[in-house]
DNA sequence: CGAGTTCAAATCTCGCCGTCCCGACCATCT
DNA sequence: AGATGGTCGGGACGGCGAGATTTGAACTCG
């Protein structure tokens, strides 16, 4: 999903971007405490990218994974809590300082990370199987 | 949940044990391929403990976790498949032949794949965040 | 045989999840 | 100022998914 990058989006822009109709967005807002965009003084919603991600997450729970609203709400609540405990993992660390290592070290490093990542994927796939599979390109050259 | 241990249970016994009404059990049977008790020659259902566990699982998905039937069905299907593939995949492939590589090209290749994989995880986490995280074992060597 | 259990299938109910419609408010353009 | 167009909240409405009930026949067991 690609969309223009800016600070705030109106409800109709978000509807366009996410494919969720505006009135449904308002409805979800009444059902999901995790979705609460800022509002202008006049009351108009101002969505940020964070909110759009939240919407995508909810959408997936409801339409891909087949949760009812109550179940999806619970999932999101817990996901938020988990996020709070454990801030963004792995990715930033990954690049850091990489080109300063010597080759053997790099290899070992990458390898460890890859193992870890595979474990993560395992867990995710078990828990959330309804996902488009990436083509496994064989690195068997 | 405690109940008398025997080989077969009638539908009304199972209804009693699980707290799910008989007609609902029949209904679920029509919705969940993973639930299919044997039948007598006369057509009466004979449930085994395995079936009772399946029912409890479905019940939890529907009533505790808040799945819709379609979602719960998917979960069960996946759970069954996962059960079948006990032997952990992926990791073995990863190790295979890896220690024979040594050139920078390989390294770069792996690294690119890893990046890609991390993107995948990002996407997965957004879509399906309610997941028990694997303990990030910091292999700090 | 008669009481109880089970069956499949049809029909009914109810609540979830939106959907539609409304008058009002606000910002921008002419 | 008036017109246009997006947005607001709220209430009435509706489809359908998930079960509940009913019907009537077949089977089981004493």
């Amino acid at each position: 999903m690609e969309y223009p990058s800016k600070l705030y989006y109106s409800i109709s822009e978000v509807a366009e971007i996410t494919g969720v109709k505006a009135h449904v967005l308002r409805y979800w807002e009444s059902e999901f405490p995790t979705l609460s965009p800022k509002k202008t003084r006049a009351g108009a919603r101002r969505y940020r990218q964070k909110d759009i991600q939240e919407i995508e997450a909810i959408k997936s729970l409801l339409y891909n994974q087949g949760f009812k609203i109550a179940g999806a709400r619970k999932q999101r609540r817990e996901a938020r809590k988990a996020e709070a405990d454990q801030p963004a993992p792995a990715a930033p660390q990954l690049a850091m300082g990489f080109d300063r290592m010597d080759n053997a070290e790099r290899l070992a490093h990458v390898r460890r990370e890859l193992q870890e990542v595979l474990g993560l994927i395992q867990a995710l796939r078990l828990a959330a199987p309804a996902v488009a599979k990436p083509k496994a390109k064989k690195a068997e050259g």
Side-chain angles (χ1 to χ4, degrees), chain A:
Chain A
M1 276 292 138
E2 300 280 320
Y3 55 89
S5 207
K6 37 178 177 161
L7 248 193
Y8 292 114
Y9 302 81
S10 75
I11 194 171
S12 57
E13 287 170 328
V14 172
E16 167 83 9
I17 290 165
T18 62
V20 178
K21 305 232 179 77
H23 67 265
V24 177
L25 290 175
R26 283 194 225 105
Y27 171 59
W28 283 2
E29 199 178 317
S30 78
E31 295 288 345
F32 293 91
T34 48
L35 175 57
S36 56
K38 282 273 184 313
K39 300 206 183 178
T40 67
R41 181 160 32 89
R45 289 162 180 76
R46 285 315 53 170
Y47 294 87
R48 298 188 319 214
Q49 269 140 357
K50 209 70 185 298
D51 298 311
I52 292 179
Q53 289 172 11
E54 180 66 24
I55 290 164
E56 297 286 5
I58 292 171
K59 189 178 153 192
S60 165
L61 289 170
L62 294 180
Y63 301 154
N64 295 142
Q65 309 195 45
F67 278 90
K68 290 192 259 190
I69 293 218
R73 177 168 45 234
K74 194 153 117 190
Q75 293 296 311
R76 291 310 300 152
R77 201 185 323 117
E78 288 167 14
R80 278 298 175 87
K81 197 179 338 170
E83 240 165 69
D85 298 347
Q86 214 179 39
Q93 290 187 357
L94 183 60
M96 169 290 268
F98 188 84
D99 52 19
R100 249 179 243 160
M101 310 175 186
D102 72 23
N103 256 354
E105 210 177 322
R106 282 181 194 170
L107 198 60
H109 188 191
V110 165
R111 193 131 186 287
R112 253 180 280 117
E113 286 179 331
L114 191 45
Q115 297 275 17
E116 204 175 307
V117 159
L118 278 165
L120 229 181
I121 290 184
Q122 279 289 80
L124 281 163
R125 307 197 74 175
L126 282 180
V131 155
K133 316 198 158 147
K135 322 227 171 249
K137 2 172 148 164
K138 283 281 161 202
E140 185 46 67

